[in-house]
């Protein structure tokens, strides 16, 4: 690759050129867009919005202005990354369900906890909140450094002089290149208390700080259900996660019933999607303890959960919801921020508080130096005024008669240029005795203030006392509004939710399981006459059996896998049901071979599984149950061989017949009991495949069935042999279909 610089062509490796440019892009994204600053807790876009609104004087005590009026100047002067990026950040700062302490007061549609989008910027109006002013306090007193904006036409602050730990108070979420940040909101009163404690005890431990900050305080409330050890580890390392649950009450109803009222949902969970997902699970019969869910929310959240019946334990019902829905979520904590040096770093809780304290020291020094400089300038002017008042008549005479009064005054009384300019601009009405007294009083007061401020700059202990005083004032300001400082999120240690056997809560009802030849499956209530069952055109019956909603269906496919279906979860009604190929997500070349029912108490029953090449083995029903949707491989087959059939063992002898019409009978004891594999040879074939098997007791003998008529096989012992033999031709009268039931 060649790069041309003016008239010089430089050869570079493509990998190096690409790497350098990608690294520049990555660092630009990390520093300029995605990660918050540890000192003010803001990203560049939010910082620029707040500063622009301050410059436009859109203050808490003024009228609101159109959001578009803010977005335009921010984009044009400070943040040229598109209108959407600016407006989205502005909207977030105005949403009380996202920000613990909103920085913007919004008027109009700024979205909702349901996940609704905010109205366009031309419709909404905004102004700074009182909390935002605490982040901007002293910005015009050289409290923070400024830098040129993107085109050098304006100056913008590099950081805001935040008066409280906004990074922890409002949290932050961001995704950069190769890194991300996720900081949860906290209670500002607790943060201020811990900061004061850290000022008094710089060597305080994390346990000391957590005595003030037990954990996050989320805008939407809820309950954190992890132990303090979990939070301690997250605060110590800067990374971790914690479980948050909804808050709910149990409301008693007439007749002894009850309903559960959810009043708070986990942070960043959209209420509409939460209800929609829960309703979908309810329709899919995956929440057997829940009968209904309704949203009765107005200004406050009110989600009504109705149990299946009054006997359902409410805590158990909520446990199923915590396990399967976002009524409980896990929030991540990744305190990845930009340090004061502009370096991305994951910090602990104490590190963040110390970084904030360090910034307050720096801000205090800058503001103090700025004030000393202002006082020095004023004292210089006042010194000039005092000299003038002593020689007032002479000064007036010089001004009236001299050709160059400015230079004459400077020479005769030793005044500076600034002092002389101030004297010449003085108003005649101020040349009175009372004004001289006021100037002397102001001069004395400013001199004392300057000495005090210079002492403040020279004393670390005085600076600490001043910072404590400022943070105490912030606490008092917040405490004037109890809703701002009252903790919303509480704590409750709860164990991990174990898998709840939902089958145990299914109402046991008598149904009939129907499956067509083309694989359409459904259930019909009660015992029905299967001859009256309707199928789609070109389809016909394949399997029909009475069962209970508490049973399971074990579906065997041609590839030797078994899939497990809960009867109560299968489609019901008068329709044709749903195709098994979709429910089980089967490949196009895999077919349904047979269906077995598994009822309570049948787990130890033995089943024969066999393939078309005449191999098979016995397996217990419980070994056929699949724990996942992918099924369970039981019978190993390789094409063109397929799984042929599975039969429940119902006798002490087995009869095997091939499509070559040879029959072999032997004792069931000759078959091995396995869990999976190819099995052993049931019957040997030179040409042909396995057609059918059946079991019978020696006492009752072997029978076969043609239509509704049953035939007794009198001389079945003539076909007795050892497992794996070819057998003899079937007797006269045996079904032409070579099946024991046809």
């Amino acid at each position: 690759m060649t790069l041309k610089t003016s008239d010089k062509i430089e050869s570079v490796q493509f990998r190096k050129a690409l790497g350098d440019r990608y690294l520049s892009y990555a660092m630009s994204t990390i520093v300029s867009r995605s990660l918050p600053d540890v000192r003010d807790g803001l990203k560049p876009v939010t910082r620029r919005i707040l500063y622009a609104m301050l410059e436009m004087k859109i203050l808490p005590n003024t009228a609101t202005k159109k959001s578009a009026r803010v977005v335009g100047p921010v984009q044009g002067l400070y943040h040229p990354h598109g209108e959407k990026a600016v407006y989205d950040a502005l909207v977030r700062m105005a949403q009380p369900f996202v920000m613990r302490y909103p920085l913007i007061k919004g008027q109009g549609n700024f979205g909702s906890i349901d996940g609704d989008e905010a109205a366009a910027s031309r419709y909404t109006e905004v102004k700074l909140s009182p909390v935002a002013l605490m982040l901007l306090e002293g910005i015009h007193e050289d409290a923070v450094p400024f830098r040129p904006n993107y085109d050098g036409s304006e100056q913008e602050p590099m950081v805001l002089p935040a008066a409280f730990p906004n990074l922890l108070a409002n949290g932050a979420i961001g995704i950069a290149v190769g890194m991300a940040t996720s900081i949860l909101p906290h209670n500002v009163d607790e943060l201020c208390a811990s900061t004061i404690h850290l000022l008094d005890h710089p060597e305080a431990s994390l346990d000391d700080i957590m005595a003030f900050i037990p954990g996050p305080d989320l805008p939407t409330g809820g309950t954190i259900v992890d132990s303090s050890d979990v939070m301690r580890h997250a605060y110590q390392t800067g990374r971790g996660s914690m479980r948050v649950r909804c808050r709910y009450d149990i409301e008693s109803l007439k007749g002894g019933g009850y309903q559960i009222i959810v009043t708070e949902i986990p942070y960043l969970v959209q209420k509409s999607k939460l209800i929609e997902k829960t309703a979908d699970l309810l329709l899919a019969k995956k929440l057997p303890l829940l009968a209904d869910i309704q949203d009765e929310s107005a200004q406050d959240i009110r989600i009504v959960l109705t149990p299946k019946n009054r006997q359902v334990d409410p805590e158990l019902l909520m446990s199923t919801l915590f396990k399967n829905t976002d009524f409980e979520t896990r929030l991540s904590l990744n305190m990845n921020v930009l340090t004061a040096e502009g370096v991305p770093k994951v910090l602990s809780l104490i590190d963040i508080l110390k970084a904030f304290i360090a910034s307050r020291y720096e801000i205090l020094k800058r503001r103090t130096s700025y004030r000393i400089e202002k006082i020095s300038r004023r004292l210089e002017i006042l010194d000039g005024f005092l000299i003038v008042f002593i020689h007032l008549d002479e000064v007036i005479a010089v001004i009236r008669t001299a050709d160059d009064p400015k230079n004459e005054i400077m020479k005769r009384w030793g005044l500076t240029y600034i002092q002389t300019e101030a004297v010449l601009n003085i108003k005649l009405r101020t040349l009175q005795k009372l004004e001289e007294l006021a100037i002397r009083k102001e001069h004395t007061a400013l001199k004392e203030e300057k000495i005090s401020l210079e002492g403040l700059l020279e004393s670390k202990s005085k600076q600490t006392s001043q910072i404590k005083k400022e943070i105490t004032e912030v606490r008092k300001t917040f405490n004037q509004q109890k809703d701002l400082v009252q903790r919303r999120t509480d704590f409750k240690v709860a164990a991990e939710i174990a898998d709840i056997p939902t089958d145990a809560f299914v109402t046991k009802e008598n149904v009939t399981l129907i499956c067509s030849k083309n694989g359409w499956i459904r259930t019909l209530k009660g015992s029905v006459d299967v001859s009256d069952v309707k199928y789609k055109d070109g389809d016909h019956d394949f399997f029909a059996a009475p069962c209970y909603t508490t049973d399971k269906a074990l579906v065997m496919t041609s590839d030797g896998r078994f899939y497990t279906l809960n009867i109560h979860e299968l489609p019901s009604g008068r329709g044709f049901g749903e195709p098994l190929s979709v429910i089980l997500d089967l490949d196009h070349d895999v077919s349904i071979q047979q269906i077995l029912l598994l009822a309570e108490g049948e787990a130890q029953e033995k089943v024969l599984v066999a393939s078309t090449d005449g191999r098979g083995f016995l397996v217990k029903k419980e070994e056929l149950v699949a724990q996942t949707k992918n099924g369970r491989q039981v019978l190993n087959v390789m094409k063109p061989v397929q799984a042929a059939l599975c039969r429940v063992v119902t006798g002490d002898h087995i009869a095997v017949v091939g499509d070559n019409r040879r029959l072999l009978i032997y004792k069931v004891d000759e078959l091995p009991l396995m869990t999976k594999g190819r099995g052993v040879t049931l019957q040997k074939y030179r040409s042909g495949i396995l057609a059918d098997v059946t079991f019978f007791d020696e006492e009752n003998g072997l029978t076969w069935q043609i239509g509704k008529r049953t035939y007794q096989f009198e001389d079945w012992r003539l076909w007795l042999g050892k497992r794996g033999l070819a057998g003899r031709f079937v007797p006269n009268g045996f079904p032409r279909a070579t099946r024991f039931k046809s």
Side-chain angles (χ1 to χ4, degrees):
M1 180 179 180
T2 58
L3 296 177
K4 185 175 181 181
T5 306
S6 299
D7 297 329
K8 181 181 178 182
I9 297 177
E10 180 183 356
S11 296
V12 297
Q13 288 186 345
F14 180 77
R15 175 178 293 182
K16 183 178 185 302
L18 181 62
D20 291 344
R21 283 152 181 76
Y22 186 76
L23 182 60
S24 299
Y25 161 73
M27 289 305 299
S28 174
T29 302
I30 292 169
V31 175
S32 303
R33 300 180 71 173
S34 300
L35 296 188
D37 193 292
V38 69
R39 295 167 290 180
D40 61 5
L42 300 174
K43 300 178 186 178
V45 62
T46 52
R47 186 180 302 116
R48 289 162 176 165
I49 291 171
L50 296 179
Y51 178 68
M53 292 179 69
L54 179 69
E55 292 297 285
M56 296 169 69
K57 293 182 170 49
I58 309 178
L59 306 176
N61 57 354
T62 63
T64 56
K65 303 294 183 182
K66 288 289 186 182
S67 299
R69 189 171 174 182
V70 176
V71 172
V74 171
Q75 182 185 2
L77 295 176
Y78 306 115
H79 198 76
H81 294 290
E83 178 183 340
K84 180 174 172 55
V86 177
Y87 187 54
D88 285 350
L90 183 145
V91 167
R92 187 179 186 276
M93 287 192 287
Q95 292 176 327
F97 50 88
V98 174
M99 302 287 284
R100 181 64 176 84
Y101 304 96
L103 302 177
I104 288 178
K105 173 69 175 176
Q107 185 172 301
N109 176 16
F110 278 85
S112 71
I113 199 170
D114 279 321
D116 301 321
E117 294 284 341
S121 60
R122 61 183 179 274
Y123 298 119
T124 59
E125 297 183 0
V126 293
K127 63 180 178 179
L128 290 174
S129 73
V131 176
L133 288 186
M134 296 184 191
L135 300 181
L136 294 159
E137 183 182 358
I139 196 168
H140 291 142
E141 298 174 10
D142 194 35
V144 292
F146 278 65
R147 65 186 172 196
N149 67 341
Y150 70 94
D151 64 357
S153 62
E154 300 285 340
Q155 293 287 313
E156 64 171 322
M158 297 175 64
V159 65
L160 296 189
F164 63 93
N166 179 61
L167 176 66
L168 293 170
N170 274 317
I173 298 175
I175 299 176
V177 178
M179 60 179 63
T181 185
S182 177
I183 302 173
L184 301 176
H186 291 73
N187 188 284
V188 73
D189 188 65
E190 297 171 357
L191 292 172
C192 290
S194 62
T195 303
I196 293 173
H197 181 80
L198 201 55
L199 284 166
D200 290 332
H201 306 88
E203 302 303 321
S205 67
L206 180 58
D207 291 332
D208 295 334
I209 298 301
M210 288 188 66
F212 297 95
I213 308 174
D217 188 21
L218 307 173
T220 54
T223 302
I224 295 176
V225 295
D226 276 319
S227 66
S228 58
D229 290 340
V230 173
M231 283 177 281
R232 188 185 188 284
H233 179 267
Y235 283 148
Q236 188 172 34
T237 61
R239 286 194 175 99
S241 64
M242 51 198 71
R243 292 183 294 150
V244 181
R245 290 181 180 176
C246 67
R247 182 176 283 129
Y248 60 93
D249 300 312
I250 300 174
E251 214 174 68
S252 298
L253 302 176
K254 292 181 179 179
Y258 71 91
Q259 59 186 13
I260 297 174
I261 310 298
V262 176
T263 56
E264 295 175 0
I265 61 176
Y267 183 50
L268 299 181
V269 171
Q270 295 181 4
K271 177 164 63 68
S272 59
K273 289 187 177 180
L274 171 64
I275 294 174
E276 181 182 351
K277 180 182 177 182
T278 305
D280 289 342
L281 292 174
L282 185 60
L283 292 175
K285 300 181 181 180
K286 294 184 178 180
L287 297 174
L289 301 184
L290 185 66
D292 192 21
I293 179 171
Q294 292 182 340
D295 185 10
E296 298 180 359
S297 304
Q299 293 296 325
D300 297 326
I301 291 177
R302 180 180 169 87
I303 302 173
V304 181
L305 304 172
T306 304
K308 205 76 170 179
N309 53 61
R310 69 182 70 176
Q311 282 75 36
V312 173
D313 180 50
E315 298 301 327
L316 189 58
L317 169 57
M318 293 307 299
S319 293
T320 62
L321 294 176
F322 294 151
K323 183 69 177 179
N324 297 289
T325 70
D326 284 341
F327 281 106
E328 175 184 304
T329 59
R330 185 171 289 277
L331 299 177
S332 64
L333 187 69
N334 180 17
M335 297 195 286
N336 189 11
V337 297
L338 291 177
T339 64
E341 295 76 25
V343 178
K345 189 175 181 181
V346 178
L347 301 180
S348 68
L349 177 64
I350 291 183
D351 289 338
I352 291 177
L353 291 175
K354 286 184 176 180
F356 169 75
I357 290 173
S359 73
R360 291 308 301 172
Y361 275 109
E362 181 65 23
I363 290 168
L364 179 61
K365 291 175 184 177
R366 292 179 66 100
R367 291 183 69 181
T368 302
S369 298
Y370 175 83
R371 179 60 181 164
I372 290 175
E373 184 180 351
K374 295 283 285 186
I375 290 174
S376 298
R377 290 179 182 177
R378 181 61 178 169
L379 285 174
E380 181 182 356
I381 293 173
L382 293 178
D383 286 337
F385 285 169
L386 290 175
I387 293 174
V388 167
F389 273 106
I390 295 173
H391 306 281
L392 184 58
D393 293 336
E394 298 176 54
V395 171
I396 292 174
V398 169
I399 293 174
R400 293 180 64 185
T401 60
D403 294 333
D404 189 359
K406 182 184 294 186
N407 287 331
E408 184 69 23
I409 291 172
M410 291 173 65
K411 282 182 182 180
R412 185 178 297 188
W413 289 287
L415 298 184
T416 64
Y417 178 84
I418 294 175
Q419 288 174 325
T420 307
E421 280 290 323
V423 167
L424 293 176
N425 291 328
I426 197 170
K427 295 180 180 179
L428 289 175
R429 65 183 179 185
T430 62
L431 302 178
Q432 54 181 326
K433 189 67 176 177
L434 291 177
E435 188 64 25
E436 180 183 356
L437 294 175
I439 290 173
R440 290 186 181 278
K441 185 177 180 180
E442 181 185 357
H443 187 279
T444 302
L446 288 177
K447 203 165 185 180
E448 291 176 355
E449 183 183 354
K450 182 179 179 182
I451 294 171
S452 175
L453 293 176
E454 288 173 343
L456 177 62
L457 282 181
E458 294 171 359
S459 173
K460 182 69 176 287
S461 62
K462 288 182 179 180
Q463 294 173 20
T464 302
S465 298
Q466 180 62 25
I467 293 173
K468 285 170 58 179
K469 182 180 178 181
E470 292 172 354
I471 295 176
T472 301
E473 288 299 318
V474 170
R475 289 188 72 185
K476 288 181 180 179
T477 303
F478 275 104
N479 274 278
Q480 291 174 0
Q481 299 184 54
K482 291 299 181 184
D483 61 311
L484 289 181
V485 296
Q486 187 173 5
R487 173 167 274 280
R488 301 178 185 178
T489 303
D490 58 6
F491 303 92
K492 176 183 177 183
V493 178
E496 290 282 348
I497 302 173
D499 289 330
I500 300 173
T502 55
D503 295 351
F505 309 118
V506 177
T507 303
K508 189 174 183 178
E509 296 177 351
N510 185 21
V511 295
T512 300
L513 179 63
I514 306 291
C515 185
S516 71
K517 183 63 178 176
N518 290 340
W520 287 77
I521 195 167
R522 53 182 158 152
T523 60
L524 300 175
K525 286 188 176 181
S527 299
V528 299
D529 186 354
V530 295
S531 62
D532 296 332
V533 175
K534 304 295 184 182
Y535 297 95
K536 286 191 170 187
D537 292 341
D539 202 359
H540 58 88
D541 63 297
F542 171 68
F543 178 87
C547 58
Y548 292 98
T549 50
T550 54
D551 295 345
K552 298 180 184 294
L554 307 177
V555 181
M556 179 186 186
T557 55
S558 57
D559 58 357
R561 300 185 77 86
F562 276 81
Y563 297 84
T564 303
L565 300 173
N566 294 315
I567 299 297
H568 70 272
E569 294 179 354
L570 295 176
S572 59
R574 297 181 177 275
F576 296 110
E578 294 181 16
L580 276 173
S581 58
V582 174
I583 296 175
L584 304 179
D585 192 22
L586 300 179
D587 293 335
H588 68 280
D589 58 344
V590 176
S591 60
I592 307 298
Q593 295 297 86
Q594 198 161 341
I595 298 176
L596 284 179
L597 292 175
L598 174 59
E600 186 178 356
E602 295 180 353
Q604 298 301 314
E605 281 189 354
K606 295 177 181 179
V607 175
L608 172 72
V609 292
S611 55
T612 53
D613 63 350
R615 300 181 68 91
F617 56 90
L618 299 181
V619 59
K620 292 181 180 179
K621 271 189 178 181
E622 64 181 0
E623 299 293 342
L624 302 177
V625 177
Q627 303 297 331
T628 66
K629 292 183 178 180
N630 295 327
R632 183 170 187 168
Q633 188 71 48
V634 177
L635 185 62
N636 295 336
V637 294
M638 186 176 295
K639 291 182 179 181
V641 177
Q642 293 184 344
L645 51 83
C646 56
R647 295 280 191 274
V648 177
V649 177
T650 56
D652 52 18
H653 281 69
I654 179 174
V656 187
V657 64
D659 65 352
N660 58 3
R661 297 185 67 79
R662 286 184 173 271
L663 174 66
L664 177 65
I665 300 173
Y666 48 89
K667 289 185 177 182
V668 174
D669 295 343
E670 297 186 39
L671 296 174
L673 182 65
M674 302 170 60
T675 56
K676 63 179 180 179
R678 289 185 63 199
V680 297
T681 301
L682 305 179
Q683 185 181 20
K684 184 181 292 184
Y685 310 108
R686 285 187 179 178
S687 61
I689 60 174
L690 175 67
D692 199 7
V693 301
T694 189
F695 295 94
F696 65 94
D697 289 322
E698 185 175 6
E699 295 180 2
N700 300 326
L702 177 62
T703 61
W704 67 75
Q705 185 175 331
I706 301 178
K708 295 183 179 180
R709 187 172 178 180
T710 301
Y711 296 87
Q712 188 73 34
F713 191 1
E714 299 293 346
D715 300 326
W716 61 268
R717 288 180 176 81
L718 297 176
W719 276 260
L720 275 173
K722 293 292 184 180
R723 175 187 59 77
L725 297 178
R728 299 173 56 191
F729 281 107
V730 298
N732 293 330
F734 195 79
R736 291 181 177 273
T738 322
R739 300 285 191 275
F740 290 100
K741 289 184 180 181
S742 62

